[in-house]
Amino acid sequence: QQQVKQSPQSLIVQKGGIPIINCAYENTAFDYFPWYQQFPGKGPALLIAIRPDVSEKKEGRFTISFNKSAKQFSLHIMDSQPGDSATYFCAASRSGGFKTIFGAGTRLFVKA
Amino acid sequence: SAVISQKPSRDICQRGTSLTIQCQVDSQVTMMFWYRQQPGQSLTLIATANQGSEATYESGFVIDKFPISRPNLTFSTLTVSNLSPEDSSIYLCSVADLYEQYFGPGTRLTVT
């Protein structure tokens, strides 16, 4: 019940394409859903996050879609660029306790 | 956002020795965490470093193997003791401010 399932494991898109990464969770007590971007040799960086009271959040080219009833959320990257090539992790946590559970990660490669 | 630095950035250690990793944050934070990330894998929480008290360890991690110090609100150390090749991994320091969580650049440990 503590797992966050992430798919796909890897993804290759052409420049300008819209990669979509999906995550699903079981624990309805989770109330914060961040996405992290990690480049090789670097720590994960917070990219965008959403709370379950909204269904969508946009920040620049990054959009999170959230479906509370299905317990699923996804990351869309608009007009993807080669510089977006990285590993993306979805995560979920509960307020107060703050034990973040991470998905397995998606390795994205954007072809020039 | 918090700026986190870690020392060393990487090290190669002999089996049976220990490595101490330092984590410095540019502001006072209440919650500080240590994670392990094995190559190509997701993040696994080792422990929560509590200022002024013993660290709280996750299942599968014990104090004798991963002693942690947290002498103040901006600094922590993680020691990986009695090293074996299975300890080869990236170790990440992380801090949290309300919901948002930030990561250091990581320490890449190779055990020979």
Side-chain angles (χ1 to χ4, degrees), chain A residues 51-112:
Chain A
R51 304 235 169 94
D53 53 343
V54 297
S55 60
E56 185 177 276
K57 183 174 181 180
K58 289 184 181 181
E59 285 187 6
R61 296 185 293 109
F62 301 93
T63 299
I64 300 179
S65 298
F66 188 85
N67 186 330
K68 188 174 180 179
S69 60
K71 292 185 284 187
Q72 295 175 347
F73 58 110
S74 59
L75 177 70
H76 302 231
I77 305 176
M78 306 302 176
D79 186 27
S80 59
Q81 302 296 314
D84 296 327
S85 297
T87 299
Y88 293 81
F89 292 96
C90 65
S93 65
R94 295 172 55 180
S95 58
F98 213 100
K99 280 196 180 175
T100 303
I101 307 296
F102 288 86
T106 297
R107 297 182 74 170
L108 171 66
F109 181 67
V110 181
K111 291 171 142 180

Side-chain angles (χ1 to χ4, degrees), chain B:
Chain B
S1 65
V3 176
I4 306 168
S5 60
Q6 285 184 234
K7 289 182 183 179
S9 58
R10 58 178 62 222
D11 206 342
I12 301 172
C13 299
Q14 299 272 6
R15 182 195 300 255
T17 63
S18 299
L19 175 70
T20 295
I21 303 167
Q22 298 180 4
C23 176
Q24 180 73 52
V25 189
D26 69 340
S27 58
Q28 293 187 339
V29 291
T30 304
M31 306 183 80
M32 189 176 278
F33 310 90
W34 286 98
Y35 285 81
R36 183 173 72 185
Q37 185 177 30
Q38 293 178 316
Q41 303 295 313
S42 187
L43 293 84
T44 301
L45 180 62
I46 298 171
T48 302
N50 304 307
Q51 195 264 333
S53 64
E54 278 197 3
T56 305
Y57 290 84
E58 296 301 302
S59 176
F61 298 95
V62 294
I63 188 171
D64 289 347
K65 175 69 175 177
F66 298 98
I68 288 171
S69 78
R70 179 90 194 268
N72 57 53
L73 292 175
T74 63
F75 186 80
S76 177
T77 66
L78 168 74
T79 299
V80 189
S81 305
N82 189 23
L83 290 168
S84 68
E86 293 71 36
D87 295 320
S88 296
S89 191
I90 297 170
Y91 293 86
L92 294 153
C93 173
S94 174
V95 302
D97 181 6
L98 294 177
Y99 280 103
E100 296 189 348
Q101 188 170 5
Y102 306 97
F103 289 86
T107 295
R108 182 180 292 271
L109 169 62
T110 302
V111 182
T112 60

